[in-house]
Amino acid sequence: MFRKLNYIEQWGSDIKRIKSFCLSYGLKEPIIKETGDFVSVEIYREDSHSTGNVLESTTEMPEKFNTLSNQELIVLKAIINRGRITTKEVEQILEIKEKKAREILKKMTDEGLMVRKSKGKNTYYEIPYIK
């Protein structure tokens, strides 16, 4: 029915877009469950106590935070909401290739805005200023 009404292009084509949209706003990835003929979707919202300031949870605010690009701010907001982030998640959030995601993460790490944890496929990034 949704296809005939032009609400969707094809089954499943917008699931990636929904996930990417949520991640780009620093929200948790939605949970989509299919049971028989039904599909349920759980979409998380921002903390109701949040003022929307990307850096509101920081105990120290380095001057470098004032000169970040929009992509870097999105990455920081995602880390604040999740506690940490992976290269793959940055790719999804920003809708960029792996090489560009790694460049952004390396630059932010080199500037001391976040730290790299673990190695290989288990690598993730955290902000040391967050309690």
Side-chain angles (χ1 to χ4, degrees):
M1 178 171 77
F2 291 117
R3 170 72 176 100
K4 289 182 180 180
L5 293 171
N6 291 321
Y7 285 134
I8 62 173
E9 296 171 13
Q10 63 185 16
W11 289 112
S13 67
D14 289 323
I15 292 173
K16 183 178 177 183
R17 195 175 338 177
I18 290 168
K19 288 181 178 182
S20 177
F21 183 77
C22 290
L23 293 173
S24 72
Y25 279 90
L27 304 174
K28 291 182 183 178
E29 186 173 306
I31 297 173
I32 301 172
K33 296 178 187 173
E34 182 181 348
T35 310
D37 292 337
F38 298 95
V39 175
S40 66
V41 180
E42 291 182 39
I43 298 178
Y44 298 92
R45 58 182 171 187
E46 283 187 293
D47 181 2
S48 61
H49 302 294
S50 174
T51 62
N53 182 350
V54 168
L55 303 172
E56 70 183 329
S57 303
T58 60
T59 55
E60 300 175 36
M61 193 179 318
E63 284 295 317
K64 295 174 187 168
F65 282 3
N66 296 327
T67 59
L68 297 177
S69 71
N70 190 44
Q71 288 181 323
E72 292 166 337
L73 286 171
I74 290 169
V75 170
L76 282 179
K77 185 171 183 180
I79 295 172
I80 289 168
N81 285 333
R82 299 168 182 203
R84 63 189 202 175
I85 199 163
T86 65
T87 304
K88 188 69 169 171
E89 290 169 331
V90 172
E91 289 176 56
Q92 292 172 344
I93 291 169
L94 300 177
E95 297 180 354
I96 57 176
K97 302 279 185 188
E98 180 182 1
K99 182 178 178 183
K100 181 65 176 172
R102 289 187 186 282
E103 287 174 10
I104 291 168
L105 292 168
K106 181 175 180 348
K107 178 181 180 259
M108 293 175 73
T109 303
D110 290 347
E111 291 177 354
L113 298 172
M114 61 185 171
V115 293
R116 180 181 174 169
K117 300 283 188 165
S118 195
K119 291 184 179 183
K121 290 188 177 195
N122 296 325
T123 301
Y124 62 93
Y125 299 83
E126 294 179 332
I127 301 174
Y129 315 104
I130 306 287
K131 281 187 174 179

